[in-house]
């Protein structure tokens, strides 16, 4: 009965926002997830970022219908007295329900099979080109093919990390370790740690790790006040080195992207061998990384001399940098803000913080579905083969609520990104005498 319910206010709920006292609300019902949060498959940080809030939209986005039955054991018995649902959230939840009824979350088609087959063929071709061919051009072609292999394998790792390629959780985990750790050398544990936080706190300067690239890059002048990263737990210092590097970041962006994989390898090792961080399936992740660092150096050693080995590694990194660039295009030029994400404006934050890349349907394999970045952020469990199908529905909802839906060509997205980096670079150079035009740009493009 409604009269038997015990109520608390949103203000009271917001006080339970610490790791040792962590409450959330889902559809107005309050749950204590303090103990369980450490075992959350998506990690502690996504829950901690939304602690003390109603998280209904994020819960719907990330969990299948079968997850609802597990909530009751965490119930506090409280309900939110001032629980409200915005029109945007109401429409978003209705859309998610309709997609579920249509079976879109289960209709994975044959993307995984064809991509795995493509990756396997490329893997054999790379080895053949290196071991059996003596031409330097064959070796260069093999390197470029390896870069493409890493791109496609990373898309598989991404999809399996969101549990959207296989129905069985065990097979999903196997796909993660194979396509991530074994083939690309980048730990799926590191990816989950950063990527789930990115989704929840999309384009928050102090909570989203995908924007925290100091001292090399800064997409906003707000970094110049030395923001503290809530993800890494340390200040992102804007010192003399950062000022120098950021002042030329619009020139160094592409060269840095060409060797960005080195940083991902380093981040993987730092996490897996950290004595303080809790890493799920640490042993399996380390084993997968050892597989990569066995076959990749062995492959490179088959080349006849060191100049060709250097060329091979650099060429493979350079081709794969297209993917790293794409990830930056999806967010660098979008709206940013400072502060923790709010569970009450899930749809608004995702539309504000993302850019889509427009392309023909025959190029979907190349971008791995992530050219529909907004659609993916709104429905991360949706198989990539369904993203193009739902795009018109998302566009209509954005129009209805006067929210941005930005879809740019690959060239235009590069222009927007370089313009964003250049504006921040100019401000970094001239902090002692700020240009009113630069300050105006910052005010328009930074929210929160």
């Amino acid at each position: 009965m409604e009269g038997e319910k015990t109520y608390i206010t949103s203000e009271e709920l917001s006080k339970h926002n610490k790791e040792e006292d962590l409450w959330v609300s889902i559809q107005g019902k309050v749950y204590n997830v303090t103990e369980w949060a450490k075992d959350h498959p998506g990690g502690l940080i996504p829950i901690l970022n939304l602690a003390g809030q109603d998280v209904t939209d994020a819960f719907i986005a990330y969990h299948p219908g079968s997850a609802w039955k597990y909530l009751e054991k965490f119930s506090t018995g409280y309900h939110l007295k001032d629980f409200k649902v915005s029109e945007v959230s109401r429409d978003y939840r209705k859309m998610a329900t309709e997609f579920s009824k249509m079976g879109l979350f289960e209709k994975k088609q044959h993307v995984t099979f064809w991509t795995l087959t493509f990756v396997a063929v490329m893997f054999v071709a790379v080895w053949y080109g290196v071991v059996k061919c003596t031409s330097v051009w064959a070796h260069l072609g093999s390197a470029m093919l390896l870069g493409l292999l890493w791109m496609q394998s990373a898309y598989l790792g991404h999809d399996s990390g969101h549990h959207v390629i296989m129905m069985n959780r065990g097979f999903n985990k196997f796909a993660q370790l194979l396509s991530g750790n074994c083939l690309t050398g980048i730990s799926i544990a590191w990816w989950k740690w950063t990527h789930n936080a990115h989704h929840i706190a999309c384009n928050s300067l102090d909570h989203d790790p995908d924007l925290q690239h100091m001292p090399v890059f800064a997409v906003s002048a707000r970094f110049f006040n030395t923001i503290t990263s809530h993800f890494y737990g340390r200040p992102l210092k804007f010192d003399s080195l950062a000022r120098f590097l950021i002042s030329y970041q619009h020139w160094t962006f592409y060269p840095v992207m060409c060797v960005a994989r080195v940083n991902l390898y380093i981040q993987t090792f730092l996490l897996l061998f950290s004595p303080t961080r809790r890493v799920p399936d640490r042993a399996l992740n380390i084993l997968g990384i050892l597989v990569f660092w066995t076959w990749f150096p062995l492959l490179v050693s088959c080349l006849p001399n060191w100049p060709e080995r250097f060329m091979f590694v650099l060429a493979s990194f350079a081709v794969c940098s297209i993917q790293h660039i794409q990830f930056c295009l999806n967010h660098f030029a979008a709206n940013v803000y400072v502060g923790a994400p709010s569970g009450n404006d899930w749809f608004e934050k995702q539309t504000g913080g993302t850019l889509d890349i427009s392309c023909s349907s025959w190029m979907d394999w190349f971008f791995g579905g992530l050219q529909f970045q907004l659609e993916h952020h709104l429905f991360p469990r949706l198989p990539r083969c369904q993203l193009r199908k739902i795009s018109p529905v998302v566009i209509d909802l954005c129009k209805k609520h006067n929210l941005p839906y930005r879809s740019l060509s690959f060239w235009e997205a590069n222009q927007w990104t370089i313009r964003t980096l250049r504006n921040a670079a100019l401000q970094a150079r001239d902090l002692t005498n700020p240009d009113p035009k630069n300050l105006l740009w910052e005010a328009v493009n930074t929210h929160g």
Side-chain angles (χ1 to χ4, degrees):
M1 299 287 292
E2 188 72 22
E4 297 176 353
K5 292 180 179 178
T6 305
Y7 291 94
I8 63 173
T9 65
S10 295
E11 183 179 356
E12 292 173 298
L13 175 63
S14 67
K15 297 176 182 177
H16 300 273
N17 64 345
K18 301 175 182 63
E19 186 174 344
E20 63 276 9
D21 180 23
L22 208 166
W23 290 15
V24 296
S25 163
I26 298 175
Q27 288 192 337
K29 192 171 182 178
V30 179
Y31 301 93
N32 183 347
V33 294
T34 306
E35 296 301 322
W36 177 79
K38 300 180 182 65
D39 299 317
H40 179 227
L44 171 64
I45 290 178
I47 299 182
L48 195 58
N49 283 346
L50 291 173
Q53 304 181 52
D54 185 84
V55 299
T56 305
D57 288 347
F59 185 85
I60 290 173
Y62 263 90
H63 301 83
S66 58
W68 291 86
K69 62 184 178 184
Y70 298 106
L71 289 175
E72 193 56 37
K73 61 183 177 181
F74 304 115
S75 175
T76 62
Y78 293 117
H79 294 73
L80 279 186
K81 185 177 183 180
D82 49 352
F83 174 66
K84 295 179 181 179
V85 182
S86 69
E87 286 300 315
V88 181
S89 288
R90 199 181 307 276
D91 285 343
Y92 170 70
R93 297 172 193 182
K94 181 180 178 182
M95 185 188 300
T97 301
E98 290 175 352
F99 291 164
S100 182
K101 289 179 179 178
M102 294 167 64
L104 297 186
F105 292 101
E106 284 72 44
K107 294 178 180 177
K108 307 175 189 299
Q109 297 182 7
H110 302 293
V111 173
T112 302
F113 173 77
W114 289 115
T115 305
L116 279 172
T117 302
F118 187 35
V119 167
V121 170
M122 286 192 292
F123 192 73
V124 172
V126 168
W127 274 91
Y128 182 86
V130 170
V131 176
K132 295 295 184 179
C133 299
T134 57
S135 168
V136 66
W137 295 107
H139 296 161
L140 178 60
S142 298
M144 298 173 69
L145 194 61
L146 179 59
L148 182 61
L149 182 156
W150 282 336
M151 290 176 61
Q152 294 300 313
S153 189
Y155 291 140
L156 277 177
H158 172 268
D159 290 351
S160 60
H162 281 296
H163 302 286
V164 299
I165 68 171
M166 296 181 183
M167 303 299 293
N168 182 285
R169 182 174 290 272
F171 285 133
N172 249 312
K173 181 179 291 187
F174 174 76
Q176 293 167 19
L177 293 170
L178 174 64
S179 58
N181 298 48
C182 297
L183 288 178
T184 70
I186 300 170
S187 169
I188 197 68
W190 172 85
W191 177 88
K192 282 186 175 182
W193 179 49
T194 60
H195 193 69
N196 288 330
H198 158 67
H199 266 266
I200 295 297
C202 179
N203 272 32
S204 167
L205 298 180
D206 52 341
H207 285 75
D208 184 355
D210 282 12
L211 291 187
Q212 297 173 357
H213 303 296
M214 297 284 283
V216 182
F217 298 132
V219 298
S220 168
R222 292 199 174 194
F223 279 118
F224 304 161
N225 294 321
T226 305
I227 288 176
T228 296
S229 168
H230 289 267
F231 181 82
Y232 293 110
R234 57 177 172 80
L236 304 172
K237 294 182 179 180
F238 183 68
D239 51 21
S240 57
L241 175 62
R243 177 169 180 165
F244 173 76
L245 293 176
I246 291 169
S247 294
Y248 299 96
Q249 63 181 358
H250 51 304
W251 294 106
T252 60
F253 175 67
Y254 295 112
V256 169
M257 288 296 104
C258 285
V259 293
R261 296 191 71 77
V262 176
N263 177 57
L264 301 185
Y265 296 146
I266 293 173
Q267 294 300 321
T268 285
F269 276 97
L270 289 177
L271 177 66
L272 293 185
F273 294 98
S274 169
T276 58
R277 294 197 182 278
R278 183 177 180 273
V279 181
D281 300 313
R282 188 193 297 263
L284 285 175
N285 273 269
I286 293 176
L287 180 61
I289 293 300
L290 290 177
V291 170
F292 173 81
W293 287 109
T294 299
W295 73 258
F296 182 55
L298 181 61
L299 175 68
V300 175
S301 69
C302 292
L303 293 165
N305 53 62
W306 282 107
E308 283 201 34
R309 291 167 187 160
F310 178 80
M311 173 204 69
F312 184 90
V313 172
L314 185 59
S316 60
F317 281 16
V319 170
C320 196
S321 71
I322 298 172
Q323 186 178 67
H324 303 313
I325 291 169
Q326 178 196 345
F327 294 156
C328 296
L329 302 185
N330 287 140
H331 297 286
F332 272 26
N335 300 345
V336 298
Y337 65 99
V338 175
S342 171
N344 291 327
D345 57 2
W346 169 262
F347 195 98
E348 294 92 328
K349 280 292 190 290
Q350 305 305 326
T351 57
T354 56
L355 296 175
D356 279 10
I357 307 297
S358 61
C359 70
S360 300
S361 58
W362 68 271
M363 282 291 288
D364 287 354
W365 70 273
F366 184 79
F367 290 106
L370 297 184
Q371 73 275 26
F372 294 107
Q373 188 70 193
L374 174 56
E375 289 79 0
H376 169 63
H377 265 254
L378 292 175
F379 303 100
R381 291 189 303 108
L382 200 67
R384 70 169 97 158
C385 56
Q386 305 295 347
L387 296 176
R388 184 175 289 275
K389 184 181 298 184
I390 73 164
S391 180
V393 184
V394 173
I395 292 174
D396 288 342
L397 189 56
C398 288
K399 288 180 179 177
K400 177 181 178 181
H401 295 286
N402 197 29
L403 294 170
Y405 183 94
R406 290 162 292 205
S407 183
L408 309 173
S409 70
F410 189 76
W411 175 254
E412 290 172 329
N414 274 273
Q415 289 180 310
W416 279 41
T417 298
I418 294 301
R419 187 183 305 124
T420 298
L421 294 174
R422 181 178 181 276
N423 278 324
L426 293 178
Q427 292 174 83
R429 295 180 190 181
D430 198 26
L431 285 179
T432 56
N433 184 26
D435 185 342
K437 292 181 181 179
N438 287 339
L439 295 178
L440 176 61
W441 179 92
E442 183 67 22
V444 170
N445 289 275
T446 307
H447 302 274

